[in-house]
Amino acid sequence: MGSNPWEAEDSKETEAAAKPHESKTKEWRLIEKTMMGLQKEQRAARRWGIFFKLLTFGYLFVILGIYLFADTFTPDMDEGGEHTAVVQVKGVIADGEDASADNIIGALRRAFDDEGTKAVIMRINSPGGSPVQSGYVYDEVKRLRALHPEKKVYAVILDIGASGAYYIAASADEIYADKASLVGSIGVVSSGFGFVDLMEKVGVERRNLISGENKTFLDPFSPLKDKDRAFWQTVLDTTHEQFIDQVRKGRGDRLKENDQLFSGLVWTGEQALDLGLIDGLGSSSSVARDIVGVETLVDYTPKGTPLEQLIDRLGVSFGKTIATQLGLNGSVQLR
């Protein structure tokens, strides 16, 4: 039986039509396979990216934890050993600051109450501050010395021990400093700004209703009256005399008479030694070793919470110090 020429022709056409379709199917499969491979690689890359980010954050948190809690978990010494106690007076002396009366007095009481304390060193590095806070510390040192006559108090001035800081130092049995330390500045200052002319220039009207003729005393938006200036000067002079009186009581006949001694001037440690403002040149270590006779130092200063330590180390307190030094808080300062 002979083959049908028409059927053979149809078969060839069907095979020819199937080949392009089969070719296209292979191409799509290849593309699909490639896309799936790319998706797998992207998912893997994302996973590794997340892993390394978490690892980095974990590492940073561990470092931060060590940085914050290192002081908290590291004891200053073995309990019960004889030592020389240290209390820091660092920075501006003011309520709410590290060198507030509450912080300093609390540390002093803990130091005196410890049976292992041989003597107490107040390590001072401060430009001064509130006369009230300084006075609180001065009086407490005198009280604790009376309760514990066997434990002497030494003040050691580092870079600066001026004004309110020197007020505190004068309560100690003896004062030591480096030859280049800045010591003294026995004076009182109250500073601020007046904005009267500025308000007139910008067209701002001051509206201030009061009951009591002196309620706007030292208002920076009003002209300074002569009677207000004179009265405020008496306040500053009285505070200065209180300061001088406490220094004389603390230092006694060790002070050398000098017309500039209580003028607010500041001297180097070497000059202060000649004036009788300090008793010798030395550091905390040398005083503990050579004067007290117990070289081991134990710091009783409160360290604050880890968050407070971090904020302080990042320099937030710097702005407060600048504001105080510029007189922007309007308070009386021993500087």
Side-chain angles (χ1 to χ4, degrees), residues 48 64 66 107 121 125 129 136 145 153 158 171 191 223 250 264 284 334:
W48 280 110
L64 183 61
I66 293 173
I121 290 177
N125 197 7
Y136 284 160
R145 279 288 290 117
V153 178
L158 279 67
S171 66
S191 56
S284 300
L334 294 183

Side-chain angles (χ1 to χ4, degrees), residues 156-176:
V156 176
I157 296 172
L158 279 67
D159 298 284
I160 183 170
S163 212
Y166 186 77
Y167 190 154
I168 291 174
S171 66
D173 293 283
E174 295 177 8
I175 305 174
Y176 293 86

Side-chain angles (χ1 to χ4, degrees), residues 177-181 268-271 281-282:
D178 184 80
K179 59 182 179 298
S181 300
T268 66
E270 196 169 19
Q271 292 171 316
L281 302 177

Side-chain angles (χ1 to χ4, degrees), residues 89-93 124-129 160-166 182 184-185 321 324-325 333-335:
V89 181
K90 185 177 180 181
V92 176
I93 301 167
I124 297 172
N125 197 7
S126 169
I160 183 170
S163 212
Y166 186 77
L182 296 179
S185 187
T321 303
T324 301
Q325 292 302 301
Q333 299 288 316
L334 294 183
R335 288 198 282 116

Side-chain angles (χ1 to χ4, degrees), residues 89 93 122 124 126-139 141-142 155 157 161-172 175 183-188 239-248 250-251 334:
V89 181
I93 301 167
M122 293 189 293
I124 297 172
S126 169
S130 165
V132 176
Q133 299 285 311
S134 302
Y136 284 160
V137 177
Y138 182 103
D139 292 341
V141 171
K142 293 298 185 184
I157 296 172
S163 212
Y166 186 77
Y167 190 154
I168 291 174
S171 66
I175 305 174
V183 181
S185 187
I186 303 172
V188 183
T239 306
H240 191 201
E241 287 301 322
Q242 293 170 352
F243 188 3
I244 294 171
D245 183 58
Q246 296 296 71
V247 171
R248 286 193 182 279
R251 298 300 296 163
L334 294 183

Side-chain angles (χ1 to χ4, degrees), residues 46-332:
R46 280 198 298 269
R47 291 193 190 101
W48 280 110
I50 293 171
F51 171 75
F52 282 114
K53 286 177 182 176
L54 291 174
L55 188 64
T56 301
F57 278 115
Y59 174 77
L60 291 175
F61 278 120
V62 169
I63 295 298
L64 183 61
I66 293 173
Y67 180 76
L68 290 176
F69 293 99
D71 291 341
T72 304
F73 295 112
T74 303
D76 288 324
M77 61 162 287
D78 295 331
E79 295 182 2
E82 191 176 53
H83 58 271
T84 300
V86 174
V87 174
Q88 306 276 356
V89 181
K90 185 177 180 181
V92 176
I93 301 167
D95 185 33
E97 298 290 336
D98 289 341
S100 68
D102 286 343
N103 286 342
I104 298 170
I105 289 172
L108 286 168
R109 288 173 180 172
R110 288 192 295 273
F112 271 97
D113 289 342
D114 194 318
E115 294 182 359
T117 298
K118 179 72 173 178
V120 178
I121 290 177
M122 293 189 293
R123 184 184 286 157
I124 297 172
N125 197 7
S126 169
S130 165
V132 176
Q133 299 285 311
S134 302
Y136 284 160
V137 177
Y138 182 103
D139 292 341
E140 185 64 13
V141 171
K142 293 298 185 184
R143 188 187 75 85
L144 291 171
R145 279 288 290 117
L147 291 175
H148 304 273
E150 76 286 359
K151 297 178 181 180
K152 285 193 172 184
V153 178
Y154 300 91
V156 176
I157 296 172
L158 279 67
D159 298 284
I160 183 170
S163 212
Y166 186 77
Y167 190 154
I168 291 174
S171 66
D173 293 283
E174 295 177 8
I175 305 174
Y176 293 86
D178 184 80
K179 59 182 179 298
S181 300
L182 296 179
V183 181
S185 187
I186 303 172
V188 183
V189 63
S190 175
S191 56
F193 296 93
F195 302 100
V196 180
D197 293 338
L198 177 62
M199 291 174 63
E200 291 179 357
K201 288 181 180 179
V202 298
V204 177
E205 179 186 0
R206 173 68 163 162
R207 294 176 181 174
N208 195 18
L209 305 178
I210 65 169
S211 178
E213 61 176 317
N214 294 313
K215 199 59 182 177
T216 54
F217 173 67
L218 297 182
D219 176 22
F221 300 103
S222 302
L224 180 61
K225 301 174 184 177
D226 290 339
K227 68 170 187 174
D228 289 348
R229 185 194 299 273
F231 172 76
W232 194 236
Q233 189 60 53
T234 64
V235 173
L236 299 180
D237 290 342
T238 300
T239 306
H240 191 201
E241 287 301 322
Q242 293 170 352
F243 188 3
I244 294 171
D245 183 58
Q246 296 296 71
V247 171
R248 286 193 182 279
K249 286 180 179 178
R251 298 300 296 163
D253 57 7
R254 287 172 289 185
L255 289 174
K256 306 296 190 299
E257 289 302 323
N258 186 300
D259 293 339
Q260 299 298 312
L261 194 61
F262 304 121
S263 67
L265 287 176
V266 64
W267 289 274
T268 66
E270 196 169 19
Q271 292 171 316
L273 181 60
D274 292 336
L275 292 168
L277 291 170
I278 66 174
D279 297 283
L281 302 177
S283 63
S284 300
S285 298
S286 66
V287 169
R289 181 181 61 248
D290 303 329
I291 308 298
V292 179
V294 179
E295 195 169 357
T296 302
L297 297 173
V298 178
D299 195 344
Y300 284 81
T301 311
K303 294 179 173 63
T305 65
L307 180 59
E308 289 171 340
Q309 293 181 55
L310 176 61
I311 291 173
D312 183 62
R313 289 171 182 176
L314 289 176
V316 174
S317 63
F318 177 76
K320 295 181 182 179
T321 303
I322 293 299
T324 301
Q325 292 302 301
L326 291 176
L328 297 179
N329 56 11
S331 61
V332 176

